[in-house]
Amino acid sequence: MKRGKKYLEKQQLVDKNALYDTVDAIDLVQKTSYAKFDETVEAHIKLGVDSRHADQQVRGTVVLPHGTGKKVRVLVFAKGEKAVEAEAAGADFVGAEELVTKIANENWFDFDVVVATPDMMGAIGRIGRALGPKGLMPNPKTGTVTMDVKKAIEEIKAGKIEYRLDKTNIIHVPLGKVSFGSEKLTDNFNTLMGAVVKAKPAAAKGTYLKSVVIATTMGPSVKVNAAKITG
């Protein structure tokens, strides 16, 4: 891949063979930011598990103490009192079958997270093939299928994120914006890693944290010393 001049300049700041302590890595990744916009700082965590086996899945949610810096648009599938509750809690879109139809017919996806009451899951099943690949399908395990829609919305708006393995056994998640500064980014990183370490499957063998890398949207990767992360 051909890299631009600014990227190559910032890459010179990073020792690609070094494993940095968390604080040093977060300080460095901010220095490598060069885009004109406020870049997102991302974490990429490779785990020593095999996602093809059900007993080695790693998936969950965590509320980052300082959020992600991104305005999250929440769609809630609910009826009656629960729909009123969702609107009052700040949901961006609230509806029932009419929203299912809108997504199915118009390929409408102007939202980031979907919350649903259990009674709506039958109707949502019609668009499961559309929501699933985008990671938008509500799931009881992540707290997005619930009768407590108020709590779900408030947590999501406050910075709740989902982490899950991809097919290569890597978790990709945002940690916040470069503008957050070192302290807030470190808080978010430690909170995330604590959740991932706690979620270690009993069936996992050998080294659990294979590698931990952080990077800005446009910048070079910085390797974190995974051996010093205890959760």
Side-chain angles (χ1 to χ4, degrees):
M1 184 184 293
K2 190 174 182 181
R3 298 290 191 178
K5 182 180 178 182
K6 287 184 179 179
Y7 178 94
L8 294 174
E9 285 177 356
K10 294 297 184 180
Q11 193 177 42
Q12 296 299 312
L13 299 174
V14 183
D15 180 349
K16 64 181 181 180
N17 296 315
L19 295 174
Y20 294 89
D21 288 346
T22 298
V23 174
D24 294 336
I26 287 173
D27 284 344
L28 183 55
V29 84
Q30 292 171 88
K31 293 175 183 175
T32 64
S33 173
Y34 62 87
K36 293 181 179 179
F37 60 91
D38 190 8
E39 293 185 69
T40 296
V41 178
E42 305 162 352
H44 307 279
I45 308 159
K46 185 171 181 62
L47 300 180
V49 296
D50 189 341
S51 61
R52 293 174 298 178
H53 300 291
D55 62 352
Q56 294 187 45
Q57 286 292 330
V58 179
R59 179 180 184 179
T61 59
V62 62
V63 178
L64 299 179
H66 305 288
T68 63
K70 177 184 177 183
K71 184 182 182 298
V72 182
R73 300 165 298 175
V74 181
L75 181 154
V76 178
F77 287 107
K79 296 178 180 179
E81 291 182 4
K82 288 299 171 182
V84 174
E85 182 183 317
E87 289 175 353
D92 298 274
F93 307 100
V94 182
E97 283 83 358
E98 74 278 8
L99 289 184
V100 173
T101 301
K102 183 179 177 69
I103 292 168
N105 295 347
E106 301 175 24
N107 200 34
W108 174 69
F109 290 102
D110 293 341
F111 47 89
D112 305 297
V113 181
V114 179
V115 174
T117 51
D119 59 301
M120 288 301 304
M121 291 307 293
I124 296 170
R126 285 173 42 206
I127 52 173
R129 288 186 177 180
L131 296 177
K134 297 179 181 292
L136 293 169
M137 192 68 180
N139 189 311
K141 291 181 180 179
T142 59
T144 48
V145 177
T146 178
M147 290 301 288
D148 195 348
V149 293
K150 180 176 183 291
K151 179 183 178 184
I153 295 163
E154 288 175 347
E155 286 186 342
I156 291 165
K157 294 284 187 179
K160 182 179 181 179
I161 60 167
E162 180 181 359
Y163 58 86
R164 62 187 301 181
L165 286 176
D166 67 8
K167 290 180 180 178
T168 60
N169 303 314
I170 300 175
I171 291 171
H172 308 273
V173 285
L175 289 174
K177 298 291 186 178
V178 170
S179 61
F180 279 20
S182 296
E183 188 174 335
K184 289 182 178 180
L185 287 170
T186 300
D187 284 348
N188 280 359
F189 177 83
N190 288 337
T191 299
L192 168 67
M193 294 309 302
V196 172
V197 170
K198 190 175 179 180
K200 179 181 178 179
K205 305 298 181 187
T207 303
Y208 180 55
L209 296 177
K210 289 281 191 180
S211 68
V212 180
V213 173
I214 57 175
T216 59
T217 308
M218 304 290 287
S221 300
V222 177
K223 297 176 184 176
V224 183
N225 190 345
K228 290 190 177 182
I229 296 172
T230 57

